[in-house]
Every structure is written in structure tokens, then in C-alpha cells.
């Protein structure tokens, strides 16, 4: 991956219930620590690992912020109480 694409262009994610095949130990997000631990052994510099991990977190947060903003434009925040919803 690293020699082909810069860390800022790499995305990693997990899809629960996906029929897609996953590498061993990376079937869900619990395998991410294994992935990150392997990168230095494969020659990734710390700066690039930081860009990969923090960059991915920033991308997710920006996306969540966009979705929240778009939802806020469509409707008012809910005032329902959990006890009311659980009935």
C-alpha cells in the first residue's frame, strides 16, 4: 500500500455483516490494532502512520458533522424522552 499511495489517500473501514472477505485478524474494527502494529514492521515511518490514523479519524468526524448538519436542516431536534420511546 505505502509505496503506491500516500497515507492521506488510504481509507480503512469495517463493514459488519459484509459478505466480503477480510484479511485474517481484520474481520472487524477490533483488528485495527494488529493492522497499525504491523505498519512499522513493514517500514512505515511514524509520521505516515499518524497521517493514516488521524487522517481517517478526521475524515469520519467531518462526515458525521456533515450528516448532522444536513439532518438539522431537514427537521428540528427530537424532544422525545427515552422512557417514552421504550414505552
Amino acid at each position: 500500500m505505502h509505496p503506491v499511495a500516500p497515507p492521506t489517500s488510504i481509507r480503512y473501514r469495517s463493514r459488519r455483516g459484509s459478505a466480503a472477505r477480510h484479511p485474517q485478524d481484520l474481520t472487524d474494527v477490533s483488528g485495527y490494532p494488529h493492522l497499525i502494529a504491523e505498519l512499522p514492521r513493514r517500514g512505515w515511518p511514524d509520521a505516515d502512520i499518524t497521517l493514516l490514523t488521524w487522517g481517517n479519524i478526521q475524515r469520519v468526524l467531518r462526515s458525521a458533522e456533515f450528516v448532522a448538519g444536513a439532518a438539522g436542516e431537514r427537521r428540528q431536534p427530537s424532544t422525545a424522552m427515552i422512557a417514552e420511546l421504550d414505552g
Side-chain angles (χ1 to χ4, degrees):
M1 235 181 344
H2 189 254
V4 177
T8 54
S9 67
I10 298 171
R11 307 289 188 258
Y12 56 94
R13 64 183 187 170
S14 176
R15 296 188 65 171
R16 291 191 75 168
S18 171
R21 293 178 49 128
H22 300 280
Q24 182 180 352
D25 296 330
L26 291 176
T27 57
D28 59 31
V29 297
S30 68
Y32 287 176
H34 300 289
L35 170 67
I36 303 305
E38 182 63 27
L39 296 178
R41 290 192 283 269
R42 294 189 179 211
W44 278 56
D46 287 345
D48 286 352
I49 295 170
T50 300
L51 283 173
L52 173 68
T53 54
W54 179 239
N56 198 60
I57 291 168
Q58 286 178 314
R59 180 183 60 81
V60 169
L61 292 174
R62 276 193 303 271
S63 178
E65 184 176 28
F66 173 79
V67 170
E73 292 173 5
R74 289 192 303 268
R75 64 177 179 85
Q76 293 295 315
S78 173
T79 58
M81 303 295 282
I82 292 175
E84 295 169 358
L85 296 172
D86 286 346

